């Protein structure tokens, strides 16, 4: 059984007990424990069930590589599924439940899959569940979905908050073990701005656990001293509980800081996502121990040898009373010795190497531990907990020599450098034969814009295996990074460590070497996803030979640990099955993040109201106070209508239209894009941008203009006013302002960079208000201060001056067909001006109107609306806007495109008016349906409705549409199909329904 | 080809699964083929498959630079739908969707097509109108779609917050027979069926040159030697530009990285596919339990198959607003795929200036769902010289200005 020891536990505070629950059981741990350590201390080795076979799973590791110990942490709005117990700091009141079982962890019906495992090899689901056809969706898939998945799906919105930080540094050092500390120190001493981050709450990594001696003192003391030195440096920042999550192009790195996971309910953000720009990145990310592949290596109680040591030394927890150590390298001897020192029993060290004479082995023998060389484990006994192991010859087929009783197994298959961050942005690896691992190839580092390397590895992450090598490598890495960032490193020598002589490890990918199928189908490679040696071999046999195919076919390495423990073992088995060398087979791609990061942290603060913040016109508050029914337009809200008490929205719209047509209406047009284009080449620039000639526009005049994209399609429209010799003011659609501004900048910056033009988006600097209707002039005259008569301010003219005491620019333009003035005032004056207008307008029955009344009035006049009559496939010629296309200009954007044969051909869908025969409103978005079908069996469509409204002015439905050769078909009755496949008939008519001669606007 | 079935598995189980044959044979190039398909992704393999199945053309080689299915076939978000607006698009995507319905039986390989339903959220009035229009068009294109209201949206997808402060859900375009499939299995299933017809699938074989004589293709040079052919199909997405250059013509295609990510797996909580174009993100839950999330494309051209982080952030932020419960899930893995985009965001399935060379590319962000329809049409184009499914997607449409623009209704995401 696993239990708390009376001694050791360098990271825990035995004076502070913490209470927590696991599956409802009340348990106790100490401050400084991880959840995994506390569970082990309470003899809770069984913590979960595997993904596919629902096999019992115990704690395997002590860090972020843990594949098994995943729990539902917390409850309700603080429930987090799939949280690793090994990286969860214990806190008072923590609640955790185990995952993926029914009805309970101890008894799981899903375990039936385990008895059927023989029938459920890798990829079995590709070969079955094929018939009958409906059964996949309705029978098989729901069953599979239900038994798959791991943690519980949260039901509530997250109670916590998250934030983003930005950092700009010379050198980012990722990993706060001795390598990271030394690299940071070397870079810091050179004067570089250094950020050193460590994912654990404590510094120093493995060295203090392993008993390393640095500069003649215990690693623990060296770490303390070095930390002190780093903290004293102003140019060095230290952050623990912060993982290097990803490395991206150009020295961009993500840091994931778990600020308050261990203090839930505090007012701190739960996580912080750091977006770091670093000139150089040092990855001092250490190495991960590999499991060994022997039958039953997944039974709870089988653990990584380093993890066993961690639990004893760091937390004073013994994973078992009798632990068999099985290894192919020297390091696991440290675990055996550590257990022995803690007063625990190590019945045997099983070493696959035929002869071991290293000092560590000698020490083990001296400590009275039996060492069996050339041997392996044939099989682990037990189901929910190890009860013993069967010993065999490594070279053989697994005949049992002897059975040894034990309640834990510590295994070590060698170490793989953590190369993830190195690889994220293209760093390449080389195979290290001696240590049987992939390590970064310094000659093929990730490179920046100039081809310069921007990532350097340090310590075990480079493949260094002893403390001395680690420190030397890290020192060099820190200095190299500082140098590359433009600093001169100091000439301090790297710290020295006591020698750690060891014997070479022996790569072993299967134990025993000649294991039978029955053994191989019990050798786990991927513990969480239940991928075994036999599965990888099956994939290879079936031709899934690429390592990517094997991964995808077997799901090897696709679990939440992303293959940290399984990748190398898996591809070694694959290489063996294919008869190829491991480096030839290669690895799968390492993708960010290193370990999973919360969606909340990625989303950051921008939630609720501040998710894409609302844009408000200066008059927004007034609209709100006056009962506006809103319509979102881009990031703006615009009043759709202003329903009065007892009035429906539709009734309000009709009232607004009639009031504007008969008397006078007021529209907040502030959202209209207003872009100033200025400079000696502004006219030339606008001539290229618009289909019209803008350079000839006279100062004081306005012109309606069209903009097309390179493909000739109409993209925006609006009125352009010439302000002075060098200045034009371009109005765009509300939704188009930012896009058109970017469009202008793109052309100026990439194509016409030598033209002398500046553009500025002044949309928010002005409030713009349209006063519309027969009484519009009277209202303005009553306001006073400016002559707004027809003679002084004719249609399509503008002038500047004082209006009712306000600085105003008044445009005589109309989108309704009525006498209309659009008046721009400084944004700060917008509300006051609006209110002043409302006050003087009262005598004329003035009422505000919203966007829907605007739309109806423009449709009554046959004016097109970008986004209604256009959809990115319509050219101005389709809309009868030939008059707005200059014939004189040599070029404009879209001209060449419009000359192409299909566009130049008049045989196109063109703008017409549409009227139903009974005056009803034609359904929106419907298509004109002809007789017969096309070659693909689709009904023949020859037109569509683009805008359709009830016209209160005319008392009947009106519509606009694009119809094949429409203008030539006036009077023809055609039919439109509705989504329920019924038909409505309509007559093709002129698109101008109201005031065809334009008498009303030009008065 | 040994048939796959539960019975076959049971039989093999007693034999320790030692009797399974290779899903597709390992092949070395022959001297000459009737047709060489370059690119063993979904589209290339489907093209070869229907060449054999529909036209009896089986002397076919499929050449693959890397591993089969390793491009966008194996890195998309597996959404299948056909609710497109324009006639030619609706035709080819609906053909594809209908072929997905029977693909597992057809290939004797479970591709796990799951018609769980796809909804595209309307979160502005403009989108409402756009999707109603699409529903109106689909009704006469033989595509089963429906515009549904917010209450029905909530009923179909209870984890959704339909009353978000910024973009409340106003409705959705719902395609009940849209869904997802297992992307890798589509490539593997086709590969197995092609191999069974005697076609050669040759991996790790990069085309280094295209040979033509008198304006007619005669063969290709590869890293495994020269291979002759009568016809050549380039089906390698954005890399078609390179092949075209080898053959001496140019293609109007740009390549950009598209971002995707998955969460850690959780128990089932979402039965439908949701796409939200206004806030920019789409999400479904895989059979394994992972939330599969798609995002936007980078603004710059590249081939790196990774990509930047800011789009991930934008997408996740939008989805946390739409599905507040995902906030405490964790992102397991992000990756990039290179999407090849044309001027009208529609694909190219076309003859080329070199006789005998055909090109299939430009699927942009929407290729996976089209695989069987694309292969079906492409095979007909190669065998007969034209196909109603592909006729409108010819290269000439760019010089004629006869675009098939879906951005109208589809917004950005496919």
């Amino acid at each position: 059984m696993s239990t708390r020891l009376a001694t050791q536990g360098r990271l825990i505070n035995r004076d502070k007990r913490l209470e927590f629950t696991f599956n409802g059981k009340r348990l106790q741990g100490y401050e400084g424990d991880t959840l995994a350590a506390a569970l082990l201390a309470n003899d809770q080795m069984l913590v979960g069930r595997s993904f596919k076979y629902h096999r019992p799973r115990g704690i395997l590791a002590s860090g972020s590589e843990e594949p098994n110990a995943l729990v539902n942490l917390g409850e309700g709005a603080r429930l987090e599924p799939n949280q690793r117990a090994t990286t969860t700091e214990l806190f008072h009141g923590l609640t955790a439940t185990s995952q993926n079982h029914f009805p309970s962890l101890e008894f799981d019906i899903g375990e039936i899959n385990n008895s059927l495992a023989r029938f459920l090899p890798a990829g079995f689901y590709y070969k079955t569940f094929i018939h009958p056809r409906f059964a996949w969706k309705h029978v098989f898939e729901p069953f599979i979905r239900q038994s798959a998945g791991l943690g519980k799906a949260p039901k509530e919105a997250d109670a916590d908050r998250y934030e983003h930080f930005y950092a700009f540094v010379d050198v980012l050092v990722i990993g706060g073990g001795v390598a990271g500390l030394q690299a940071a120190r070397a870079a810091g001493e050179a004067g570089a701005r250094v950020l050193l981050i460590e994912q654990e709450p404590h510094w120093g990594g493995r060295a203090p656990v392993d008993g390393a001696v640095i500069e003649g003192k215990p690693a623990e003391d060296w770490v303390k001293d070095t930390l002190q030195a780093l903290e004293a440096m102003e140019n060095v920042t230290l952050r623990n509980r912060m993982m290097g999550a990803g490395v991206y192009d150009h020295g961009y790195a993500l840091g994931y800081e778990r600020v308050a996971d261990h203090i839930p309910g505090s007012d701190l953000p739960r996580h912080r996502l750091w977006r770091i720009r670093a000139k150089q990145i040092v990855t001092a990310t250490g190495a991960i121990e590999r499991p060994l592949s022997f039958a039953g290596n997944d039974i709870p109680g089988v653990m990584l040898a380093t993890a066993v040591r961690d639990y004893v030394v760091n937390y004073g927890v013994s994973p078992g009373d009798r632990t068999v150590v099985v290894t192919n390298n020297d390091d696991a001897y440290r675990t055996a010795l550590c257990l022995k020192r803690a007063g625990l029993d190590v019945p045997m060290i099983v070493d696959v190497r035929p002869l071991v004479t290293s000092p560590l082995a000698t020490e083990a023998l001296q400590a009275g531990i039996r060492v069996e060389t050339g041997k392996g484990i044939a099989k682990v006994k037990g189901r929910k907990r190890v009860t013993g192991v069967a010993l065999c010859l490594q070279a053989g087929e697994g005949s049992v020599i002897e059975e040894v009783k034990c309640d834990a197994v510590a295994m070590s298959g060698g170490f793989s450098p953590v190369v993830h961050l190195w690889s994220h942005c293209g760093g390449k690896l080389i195979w290290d034969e001696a240590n049987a691992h992939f390590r970064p190839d310094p000659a093929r580092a990730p490179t920046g814009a100039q081809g310069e390397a921007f990532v350097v590895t340090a310590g075990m992450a480079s493949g260094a295996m002893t403390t001395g090598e680690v420190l030397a490598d890290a020192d060099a890495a820190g200095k190299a990074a500082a140098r590359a960032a433009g600093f001169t490193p100091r000439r301090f020598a790297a710290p020295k460590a006591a020698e750690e002589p060891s014997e070479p490890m022996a790569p072993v990918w299967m134990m025993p070497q000649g294991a039978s199928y029955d053994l191989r189908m019990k050798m786990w490679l991927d513990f969480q996803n239940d991928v075994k040696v036999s599965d990888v071999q099956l994939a290879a046999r079936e031709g899934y030979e690429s390592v990517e195919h094997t991964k995808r076919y077997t799901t090897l390495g696709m679990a939440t640990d992303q293959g940290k423990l399984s990748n190398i073992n898996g591809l070694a088995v694959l290489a063996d099955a294919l008869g190829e060398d491991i480096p030839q087979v290669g690895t799968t791609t390492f993708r960010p993040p290193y370990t999973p990061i919360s969606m909340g942290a990625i989303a950051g603060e921008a939630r609720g109201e501040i998710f894409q913040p609302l844009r408000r016109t200066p008059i927004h508050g007034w609209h709100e106070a006056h009962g506006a029914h809103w319509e979102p337009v881009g990031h703006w809200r615009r009043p759709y209508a202003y329903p009065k008490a007892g009035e429906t929205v539709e009734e309000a719209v009709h009232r607004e239209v009639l009031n504007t047509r008969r008397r006078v209406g007021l529209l907040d047009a502030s959202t209209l894009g207003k872009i100033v284009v200025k400079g000696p080449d502004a006219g030339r620039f606008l001539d290229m941008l618009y289909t019209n000639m803008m350079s000839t526009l006279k100062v004081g005049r306005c012109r309606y203009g069209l903009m097309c994209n390179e493909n000739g399609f109409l993209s925006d429209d609006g009125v352009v006013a010439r302000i002075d010799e060098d200045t034009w003011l371009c109005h765009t659609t509300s939704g188009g302002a930012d896009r058109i501004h970017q469009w202008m900048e793109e052309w100026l910056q990439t194509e016409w960079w030598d033209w002398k033009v500046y553009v500025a988006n002044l949309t928010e600097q002005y409030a713009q208000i349209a006063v519309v209707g027969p009484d519009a002039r009277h209202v303005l005259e009553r306001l006073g201060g400016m002559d707004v008569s027809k003679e002084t301010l004719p249609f399509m003219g503008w002038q500047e001056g004082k209006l009712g005491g306000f600085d105003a620019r008044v445009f005589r333009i109309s989108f309704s067909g009525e006498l209309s003035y659009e008046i721009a005032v400084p944004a700060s004056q917008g509300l006051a001006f609006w209110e002043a207008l409302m006050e003087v307008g009262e005598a004329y029955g003035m009422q505000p109107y919203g966007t829907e009344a605007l739309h109806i009035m423009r449709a009554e006049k046959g004016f097109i609306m970008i986004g209604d009559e256009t959809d990115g496939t319509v050219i101005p010629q389709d809309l009868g806007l030939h008059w707005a296309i200059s014939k004189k200009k040599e070029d404009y954007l879209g001209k060449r495109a419009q000359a192409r044969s299909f566009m130049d051909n008049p045989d196109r869908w063109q703008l017409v008016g549409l009227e139903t025969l009974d005056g009803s409103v034609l359904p929106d978005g419907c298509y004109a349906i002809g007789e017969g079908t096309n070659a693909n069996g689709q009904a023949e469509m020859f037109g569509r409705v683009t805008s359709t409204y009830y016209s209160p002015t005319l008392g009947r439905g009106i519509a606009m549409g694009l119809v094949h050769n429409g203008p030539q078909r006036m009077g023809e009755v055609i039919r439109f199909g509705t989504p329920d496949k019924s038909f409505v008939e309509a007559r093709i008519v002129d698109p101008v329904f109201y005031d065809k001669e334009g008498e009303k606007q030009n008065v | 080809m040994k048939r796959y079935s539960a019975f076959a598995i049971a039989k093999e189980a007693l034999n320790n699964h030692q009797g399974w044959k290779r899903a597709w044979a390992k092949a070395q190039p022959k001297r000459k083929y009737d047709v060489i398909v370059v690119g063993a992704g979904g589209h290339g393999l489907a093209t070869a498959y229907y060449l054999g199945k529909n036209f009896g053309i089986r002397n076919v080689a499929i050449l693959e630079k890397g591993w089969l299915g390793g491009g966008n076939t194996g890195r998309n978000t597996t959404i299948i739908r056909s609710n497109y607006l324009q006639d030619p698009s609706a035709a080819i995507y609906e053909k594809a969707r209908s072929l997905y319905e029977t693909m597992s039986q057809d290939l004797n390989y479970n591709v796990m097509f799951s018609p769980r339903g796809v909804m595209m959220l309307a979160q502005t009035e403009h989108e409402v109108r756009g999707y109603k229009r699409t529903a109106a068009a689909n009704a006469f294109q033989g595509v089963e779609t429906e515009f549904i209201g917010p209450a029905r949206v909530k009923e179909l997808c209870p984890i959704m917050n339909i009353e978000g402060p910024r973009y409340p859900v106003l409705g959705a375009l719902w395609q009940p027979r849209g869904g997802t499939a297992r992307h890798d299995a589509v490539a593997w299933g086709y590969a197995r069926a092609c191999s069974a017809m005697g076609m050669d699938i040759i991996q790790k074989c990069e085309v280094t040159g295209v040979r033509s004589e008198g304006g007619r293709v005669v063969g290709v040079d590869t890293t495994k030697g020269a291979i002759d052919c009568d016809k050549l199909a380039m089906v390698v997405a954005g890399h078609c530009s390179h092949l075209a250059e080898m053959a001496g013509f140019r293609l109007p295609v740009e390549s950009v990285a598209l971002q995707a990510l998955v969460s850690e797996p959780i128990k089932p909580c979402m039965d439908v596919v949701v796409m939200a174009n206004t806030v920019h993100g789409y999400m479904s839950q895989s059979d394994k339990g992972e939330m599969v999330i798609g995002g936007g494309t980078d603004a710059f051209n590249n081939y790196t198959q990774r990509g930047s982080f800011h789009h991930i952030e934008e997408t996740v932020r939008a989805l946390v607003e739409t599905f507040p419960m995902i906030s405490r899930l964790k992102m397991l893995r992000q990756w990039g795929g290179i999407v090849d985009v044309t001027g009208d965001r529609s694909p190219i399935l076309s003859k080329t200036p070199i006789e005998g060379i055909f090109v299939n590319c430009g699927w942009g962000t929407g290729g996976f769902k089209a695989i069987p329809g694309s292969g079906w049409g492409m095979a007909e184009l190669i065998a007969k010289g034209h196909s109603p499914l592909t006729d409108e997607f010819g290269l000439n449409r760019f010089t004629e200005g006869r675009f098939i623009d879906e951005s109208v209704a589809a917004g950005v995401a496919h």
Side-chain angles (χ1 to χ4, degrees), chain B residues 133-144:
Chain B
R133 176 182 163 193
T134 305
N138 287 164
F140 292 90
Q141 289 163 331
V143 179
E144 190 197 332

Side-chain angles (χ1 to χ4, degrees), chain A residues 188 228 269 478 501 638 712 744 825 831 938:
Chain A
Q228 234 165 36
R638 297 189 73 181
M744 289 175 167
V825 298
L831 180 59
Q938 300 166 319

